[in-house]
Amino acid sequence: MIEVRPSHDIEACLAIRRAVFIEEQGVSEEVEMDGLENEAIHVLLLRDGRPAACARIMMNGATGKIGRVAVLRDHRRKGLGKAVMEECVRVLRATPGVTEARLGAQTYVIPFYEALGYKVDGPEYIEAGIPHRPMVMAL
């Protein structure tokens, strides 16, 4: 059973992010744990009652920036990333005055985000040693 919703369980989200970004991808803890957790809306996906995927949303005026999208290795290729992203969009559409969703996509994942309706919106840049491209979707 899949359950995905905004959550105050920041520790579960941080554990997923640690496994994916720090342990798998080699992102430094200083970069990943940026101290902005209390300013964010966290989305957590539970699969069979256990944390499996997450994302966070940072609000900036009419823009919701979706970031830190992570799915634990054993749960990939099962539609969980899509479910998390759909919940992020649902949250943003329910927020008065928000007109667009933005994100910084690791370049190898751009096709995933394009399939969800995002468009590349700028040149490649390096973040945490990983190539990214900015993407946007009107809400």
Side-chain angles (χ1 to χ4, degrees):
M1 181 174 88
I2 304 294
E3 195 179 339
V4 59
R5 66 187 184 288
S7 176
H8 294 292
D9 191 349
I10 295 172
E11 293 306 315
C13 294
L14 291 177
I16 293 168
R17 288 169 38 195
R18 176 175 297 284
V20 172
F21 298 122
I22 297 172
E23 294 170 13
E24 284 183 41
Q25 296 184 356
V27 174
S28 74
E29 185 162 346
E30 294 75 28
V31 169
E32 181 54 35
M33 305 302 173
D34 61 7
L36 299 175
E37 304 316 322
N38 292 329
E39 299 172 33
I41 298 167
H42 298 273
V43 172
L44 179 63
L45 183 143
L46 303 176
R47 184 168 184 224
D48 299 325
R50 303 180 85 172
C54 67
R56 81 175 183 191
I57 304 168
M58 302 294 293
M59 304 304 294
N60 184 10
T63 300
K65 182 160 192 271
I66 301 169
R68 305 309 206 262
V69 180
V71 179
L72 291 175
R73 178 178 282 156
D74 293 345
H75 298 282
R76 293 183 191 146
R77 304 261 182 234
K78 297 177 172 118
L80 305 187
K82 180 180 179 186
V84 166
M85 291 302 296
E86 288 172 344
E87 179 64 9
C88 289
V89 168
R90 186 198 67 73
V91 168
L92 291 173
R93 286 186 171 144
T95 304
V98 175
T99 59
E100 70 177 7
R102 290 196 163 269
L103 56 88
Q106 293 184 8
T107 55
Y108 80 96
V109 202
I110 287 173
F112 166 77
Y113 291 115
E114 287 175 330
L116 296 175
Y118 293 83
K119 294 185 178 9
V120 171
D121 188 44
E124 185 175 296
Y125 62 94
I126 303 297
E127 183 176 311
I130 302 168
H132 287 69
R133 296 281 305 268
M135 300 189 80
V136 65
M137 180 173 69
L139 300 172

